[in-house]
Amino acid sequence: MSYTQNQQNIAEKITSDASRLNWHDWKWQVKHCIKSLDMFEKLLGVTLPQKWREKVNQTIEKFPMSITPYYLSLIDTDVLENDPVLLQSLSSIHELDISAADMEDPLHEDIDSPAPCITHRYPDRVLFLVSNTCAMYCRHCTRKRKVGDIDSIPSKEFMRQGIEYIKNNPEIRDVLLSGGDPFLLSTTHLDWVLTELRKIEHIEIIRIGTRTPVVLPYRITDELVTMLKKHHPIWINTHFNHPRELTNSSRTALAKLADAGIPLGNQSVLLAGVNDCPRIMRALVHKLAYSRVRPYYLYQCDLSEGLSHFRTPVGKGIEIIESLIGHTSGFCVPTYVIDAPGGGGKIPVMPNYLVSWSTNKVILRNYEGVITSYQEPESYESNFCDRDCVNCDLQLSTEDATEHQSIGIEKLLCDSDATISLIPNDNSRIERRND
Ligand SMILES: *Cc1c(COP(=O)(O)O)cnc(C)c1O
Ligand code: SF4
């Protein structure tokens, strides 16, 4: 595993017995998270301007700070104030500026919660908050109100009630474990949650949202991956925001997950000063795809308190998507979404390609600006549909098609087929018999 000079310097300042071994131990990383500005400055060998120092100290009383030594080691001190890693981990001078539009729980996650730890917004899937801590507290976190708040650690009893809710609602087929970061639970505890969920027959897929591949890649241990594999199908979404976050350590973690057959997705947040740039986003999606991670969503920064300095106009996101569609591989393009304030869920906002429309033609434009037309069919009989599916001509069976067919000698060997012999078409004995 890689270990840079910079990381060694930081490790030695943290503990005198620092070694390559404990640097790569995720529990060591969590234990030595940087929680104060003094420590931050000491480890990086920098001093922030006095005004910023005062603000940081005020801010972390309301929204705590925590940075893994690993993530801290990625900060480039030459560009300090503009460094994307620093901007995501150290509070800005503006974080306590609450704008008129800010809300404590803009997505109504607490209101749409029918059971402890559950947000049930969409018909067939739920968010299950199984952890309230993260290794690193992202300054742009939408759940700032909860993350790091020791009063909202979900107890095992609360988690049981959440599982009970999922069990009692058979329309749920997809459970998203989130938090906080589910991978900060011990492997044994997470194994328990997954085992309980897998006992529920109507649960088809389990998704886990985690930022550990970005801020604590050493958490992805062989032991964790072996445990996850028992509970397939498991999908994982992670949260890279800037191409510089994809390091050798991150790539190793992602490769372990992908090799375990876990489909990987990425959810980025559009952040002013961090990634509000088509060039940066293009490099990010390319590096992700190279690591077998599919860009899934690009989020417009939401209206949680203390995020106003990160917000961009919606047009910036559209400009970024415009620079991707057609210009690069289709699966490198995330869906740009605004999570509706008030709990309406994610709403896709994408550039427009439909220019005009008549009764038999549509006019389209492509990514290069070419304007083209598509002739619609002259006759199309719209299917009459009164939702009376039993009497519909369309083939609605959703059972798997039969694939296995015994042929040849195997047909004689298998017990499910009544054939007792195979006879050539032109066998004269049989022809005589037919006479
Ligand atoms: C994002 C989200 C989901 C999952 O949405 P997908 O579009 O299926 O990824 C589910 N529940 C809540 C509350 C969410 O915010
Ligand atoms: S990892 Fe996610 S939940 Fe945790 S602080 Fe970052 S954005 Fe918030």
Side-chain angles (χ1 to χ4, degrees), residues 107 109 112 119-122 124-127 143 174 176 207 237 267 296-297 299 339 345-346:
L107 309 180
E109 291 185 321
D112 281 347
T119 301
H120 195 172
R121 170 158 308 144
Y122 299 103
D124 68 343
R125 53 210 191 280
V126 289
L127 204 60
R143 298 204 188 108
D174 174 5
L176 281 82
R207 288 195 254 178
N237 265 328
Q267 318 200 138
Y296 181 49
Y297 283 137
Y299 285 91
D339 218 329
K346 299 176 190 69

Side-chain angles (χ1 to χ4, degrees), residues 267-405:
Q267 318 200 138
S268 297
V269 184
L270 184 54
L271 298 170
V274 174
N275 59 10
D276 52 340
C277 155
R279 277 184 66 183
I280 291 175
M281 287 310 278
R282 196 188 302 198
L284 174 64
V285 297
H286 285 167
K287 284 181 109 175
L288 286 167
Y290 190 73
S291 293
R292 291 181 277 172
V293 183
R294 169 118 163 54
Y296 181 49
Y297 283 137
L298 172 63
Y299 285 91
Q300 172 66 9
C301 186
D302 66 46
L303 296 175
S304 292
E305 285 181 345
L307 306 190
S308 53
H309 62 288
F310 276 133
R311 287 183 208 128
T312 64
V314 175
K316 184 48 84 176
I318 296 197
E319 179 190 345
I320 287 170
I321 301 297
E322 182 81 61
S323 78
L324 295 175
I325 292 180
H327 299 272
T328 191
S329 321
F331 60 77
C332 285
V333 186
T335 306
Y336 176 41
V337 293
I338 302 181
D339 218 329
K346 299 176 190 69
I347 300 173
V349 271
M350 299 292 266
N352 270 323
Y353 293 89
L354 194 56
V355 173
S356 195
W357 201 343
S358 74
T359 55
N360 64 353
K361 260 188 195 178
V362 289
I363 309 299
L364 306 153
R365 60 103 181 172
N366 80 349
Y367 74 102
E368 302 163 306
V370 168
I371 306 259
T372 184
S373 62
Y374 173 85
Q375 179 79 45
E376 294 188 299
E378 308 236 311
S379 63
Y380 167 71
E381 261 178 63
S382 162
N383 240 335
F384 172 76
C385 177
D386 55 2
R387 297 288 188 271
D388 176 15
C389 304
V390 183
N391 294 313
C392 181
D393 287 341
L394 293 174
Q395 185 50 257
L396 281 179
S397 166
T398 53
E399 296 295 310
D400 291 0
T402 319
E403 278 180 1
H404 186 76
Q405 230 189 339

Side-chain angles (χ1 to χ4, degrees), residues 43-55:
L43 296 184
L44 284 182
V46 298
T47 313
L48 299 183
Q50 188 52 24
K51 233 174 126 192
W52 194 359
R53 301 194 87 253
E54 280 167 23
K55 276 283 181 188

